[in-house]
CSV table of all heavy atoms in Angstrom, one decimal:
chain,number,residue,atom,x,y,z
I,59,SER,N,4.1,-7.2,11.2
I,59,SER,CA,3.0,-6.8,10.3
I,59,SER,C,3.3,-7.3,8.9
I,59,SER,O,4.3,-7.7,8.6
I,59,SER,CB,2.7,-5.3,10.4
I,59,SER,OG,3.9,-4.7,9.9
I,60,HIS,N,2.2,-7.2,8.1
I,60,HIS,CA,2.3,-7.7,6.8
I,60,HIS,C,3.3,-6.7,6.0
I,60,HIS,O,3.2,-5.5,6.2
I,60,HIS,CB,0.9,-7.7,6.0
I,60,HIS,CG,0.9,-8.4,4.8
I,60,HIS,ND1,1.2,-7.7,3.6
I,60,HIS,CD2,0.5,-9.6,4.4
I,60,HIS,CE1,1.2,-8.6,2.6
I,60,HIS,NE2,0.6,-9.8,3.1
I,61,PRO,N,4.1,-7.2,5.1
I,61,PRO,CA,5.1,-6.4,4.3
I,61,PRO,C,4.3,-5.1,3.4
I,61,PRO,O,5.0,-4.1,3.3
I,61,PRO,CB,5.8,-7.3,3.6
I,61,PRO,CG,5.3,-8.6,3.6
I,61,PRO,CD,4.3,-8.6,4.8
I,62,LEU,N,3.1,-5.4,3.2
I,62,LEU,CA,2.5,-4.3,2.3
I,62,LEU,C,1.8,-3.2,3.1
I,62,LEU,O,1.4,-2.2,2.5
I,62,LEU,CB,1.5,-5.1,1.3
I,62,LEU,CG,2.2,-6.0,0.3
I,62,LEU,CD1,1.0,-6.6,-0.6
I,62,LEU,CD2,3.2,-5.4,-0.6
I,63,ASP,N,1.8,-3.5,4.4
I,63,ASP,CA,1.1,-2.5,5.3
I,63,ASP,C,2.2,-1.4,5.7
I,63,ASP,O,3.4,-1.6,5.9
I,63,ASP,CB,0.6,-3.1,6.5
I,63,ASP,CG,-0.7,-3.9,6.3
I,63,ASP,OD1,-1.3,-3.7,5.2
I,63,ASP,OD2,-1.0,-4.8,7.1
I,64,SER,N,1.7,-0.2,5.9
I,64,SER,CA,2.7,0.8,6.5
I,64,SER,C,3.0,0.5,7.9
I,64,SER,O,2.1,0.1,8.5
I,64,SER,CB,2.1,2.1,6.2
I,64,SER,OG,0.7,2.3,6.6
I,65,PRO,N,4.2,0.9,8.2
I,65,PRO,CA,4.6,0.5,9.5
I,65,PRO,C,3.9,1.4,10.6
I,65,PRO,O,3.7,2.6,10.4
I,65,PRO,CB,6.1,0.8,9.6
I,65,PRO,CG,6.4,1.6,8.4
I,65,PRO,CD,5.3,1.4,7.5
I,66,LEU,N,3.5,0.8,11.7
I,66,LEU,CA,2.8,1.5,12.8
I,66,LEU,C,3.6,1.2,14.0
I,66,LEU,O,4.3,0.3,14.1
I,66,LEU,CB,1.5,1.1,13.0
I,66,LEU,CG,0.5,1.2,11.8
I,66,LEU,CD1,-0.8,0.6,12.0
I,66,LEU,CD2,0.2,2.8,11.4
I,67,ASP,N,3.4,2.0,15.0
I,67,ASP,CA,4.0,1.6,16.4
I,67,ASP,C,3.1,0.8,17.1
I,67,ASP,O,2.2,1.1,17.9
I,67,ASP,CB,4.5,2.8,17.2
I,67,ASP,CG,5.2,2.4,18.4
I,67,ASP,OD1,5.5,1.2,18.6
I,67,ASP,OD2,5.6,3.4,19.1
I,68,TYR,N,3.1,-0.6,17.0
I,68,TYR,CA,2.2,-1.5,17.5
I,68,TYR,C,2.4,-1.6,19.1
I,68,TYR,O,1.6,-2.0,19.7
I,68,TYR,CB,2.3,-2.8,16.9
I,68,TYR,CG,1.8,-2.9,15.6
I,68,TYR,CD1,2.7,-2.9,14.4
I,68,TYR,CD2,0.5,-2.9,15.3
I,68,TYR,CE1,2.2,-2.9,13.1
I,68,TYR,CE2,0.0,-3.0,13.9
I,68,TYR,CZ,0.9,-3.0,12.9
I,68,TYR,OH,0.4,-3.0,11.6
I,69,ARG,N,3.5,-1.2,19.6
I,69,ARG,CA,3.8,-1.3,21.0
I,69,ARG,C,2.7,-0.3,21.8
I,69,ARG,O,2.3,-0.8,22.9
I,69,ARG,CB,5.2,-0.9,21.3
I,69,ARG,CG,6.2,-1.9,21.1
I,69,ARG,CD,7.5,-1.6,21.2
I,69,ARG,NE,7.9,-0.8,20.2
I,69,ARG,CZ,9.1,-0.7,19.5
I,69,ARG,NH1,10.1,-1.5,20.0
I,69,ARG,NH2,9.4,0.0,18.5
I,70,THR,N,2.4,0.7,21.2
I,70,THR,CA,1.5,1.7,22.0
I,70,THR,C,0.1,1.1,21.8
I,70,THR,O,-0.7,1.4,22.7
I,70,THR,CB,1.5,3.0,21.3
I,70,THR,OG1,1.2,3.1,19.9
I,70,THR,CG2,2.9,3.7,21.5
Side-chain angles (χ1 to χ4, degrees):
S59 62
H60 193 278
L62 297 178
D63 287 342
S64 44
L66 300 171
D67 190 357
Y68 291 104
R69 283 174 283 220
T70 58

